[in-house]
Amino acid sequence: MKRWLVVLVLLLMGLVGRAGAADEPAAGATYKLERADISVKDEFGRPYQTPAETAWVVVRLAQGDSESASVKDLKSLATEGVEYDTDADTEWPTGGAGQGYNSFKLDGGTARVEFVVFQDQAKNPINYEMALYEKAPDGTKKMTTKFKKLYEAGNAAGKSEMTAGVKRPLTGEEKAILAVFVIVSICFSYLLLGRDLFRRMLFNRRMEVTAAVSMSNLLFLGFVVLTAVLAELVYYYPVMMWKSVYGVYAAASFGYLAILLVSFLIGWAMTRR
């Protein structure tokens, strides 16, 4: 009877030991993956929208004085196929790939980035550095700019905003809007100033043909120059207006139309019979 009790006690101790071992974290569970949406804005506050597969956010563990104390004595942080080396290359790599770096594509101005953090929350946060890379004409990835702000992974923020100190290229839609603005503006100027106002000067004011042509052409060319100036301002300084990327195009269009109509009304008043 005592022998059976001893066996039973040993079996129970074995089961308890296994249960305790199961509760201990596995070696591979030291780290976990944290995913975050990193939105990138250009110097004018516009989402950094680019064609598919032409821009990436490249990530590495912070270096130098920004390096997190909890990773200084480690060689790398890795889990679920994502790895960051603590001894990453000092220089940001040409091509966006190098020892200790990971790249994530930018889609609609946002990249879904994967960071490796500690399971033990007391060792977090971990500082990461990021840079913006874009596709060069030769097909390689080249760095556009390094973001000044660090990302503190492990705080479960889930999102962050980075500002690039450069102007992003115009999208296809923005180029189309700008082209329509130029064409429509010139057409309206010609119809109101080059034709209608010319006819009024010729028949209402009885001006000589040469004088009427010269005056109407001068006014028309002035507004062509105004169109060019506004188009260049919108192209080189596409600021956000009314929290919209397209606000600046609307402002330029309405401003131009207002100046054109006021000028036409003054000409109309001066050419009444």
Side-chain angles (χ1 to χ4, degrees):
M1 185 68 178
K2 291 181 178 180
R3 182 179 298 175
W4 285 105
L5 287 173
V6 172
V7 172
L8 184 60
V9 169
L10 290 174
L11 287 173
L12 288 173
M13 289 177 63
L15 290 173
V16 170
R18 289 192 176 188
D23 291 338
E24 295 177 0
T30 304
Y31 310 107
K32 63 181 179 179
L33 210 59
E34 177 179 289
R35 295 179 175 88
D37 291 324
I38 305 298
S39 60
V40 180
K41 302 292 181 68
D42 75 350
E43 64 177 333
F44 296 104
R46 303 177 303 161
Y48 211 94
Q49 298 171 314
T50 59
E53 304 294 339
T54 59
W56 299 263
V57 171
V58 177
V59 186
R60 73 177 183 185
L61 287 166
Q63 309 262 321
D65 295 337
S66 301
E67 184 180 17
S68 300
S70 57
V71 305
K72 287 183 181 295
D73 298 327
L74 300 175
K75 184 177 180 181
S76 66
L77 282 69
T79 187
E80 298 183 37
V82 180
E83 182 175 6
Y84 291 97
D85 294 341
T86 55
D87 57 347
D89 298 332
T90 304
E91 297 295 330
W92 289 86
T94 299
Q99 182 181 354
Y101 294 81
N102 287 289
S103 62
F104 305 89
K105 67 178 181 179
L106 199 62
D107 185 11
T110 301
R112 185 68 168 170
V113 178
E114 296 177 331
F115 302 96
V116 178
V117 298
F118 289 103
Q119 287 276 13
D120 183 0
Q121 191 62 29
K123 295 181 179 179
N124 293 325
I126 300 173
N127 291 335
Y128 283 87
E129 296 176 327
M130 290 179 280
L132 174 66
Y133 275 68
E134 293 186 81
K135 189 175 183 179
D138 60 2
T140 60
K141 298 177 185 177
K142 291 189 177 180
M143 186 172 75
T144 301
T145 183
K146 176 187 172 184
F147 300 123
K148 295 180 180 180
K149 186 170 71 172
L150 297 174
Y151 182 82
E152 296 183 347
N155 288 330
K159 61 181 180 179
S160 184
E161 183 178 298
M162 298 290 167
T163 302
V166 294
K167 180 178 77 72
R168 69 158 169 78
L170 296 183
T171 63
E173 290 181 352
E174 290 171 322
K175 289 178 181 177
I177 291 173
L178 193 56
V180 169
F181 165 73
V182 171
I183 294 171
V184 171
S185 296
I186 291 176
C187 288
F188 265 99
S189 300
Y190 175 71
L191 290 174
L192 291 179
L193 305 177
R195 289 182 62 108
D196 193 73
L197 196 58
F198 166 73
R199 181 182 58 81
R200 294 178 65 84
M201 286 188 289
L202 194 61
F203 295 106
N204 291 7
R205 292 298 301 271
R206 303 294 182 180
M207 293 177 63
E208 293 184 1
V209 175
T210 304
V213 168
S214 299
M215 181 62 70
S216 62
N217 284 347
L218 185 63
L219 290 171
F220 172 65
L221 289 175
F223 275 87
V224 169
V225 172
L226 178 61
T227 301
V229 169
L230 287 176
E232 286 199 13
L233 285 174
V234 170
Y235 182 84
Y236 289 107
Y237 301 97
V239 296
M240 291 280 289
M241 299 186 71
W242 305 299
K243 297 181 179 181
S244 173
V245 172
Y246 305 108
V248 66
Y249 300 98
S253 300
F254 286 123
Y256 181 88
L257 184 61
I259 296 172
L260 177 62
L261 289 178
V262 168
S263 300
F264 175 74
L265 289 175
I266 292 173
W268 181 86
M270 295 178 64
T271 54
R272 287 186 301 175
R273 289 181 178 178

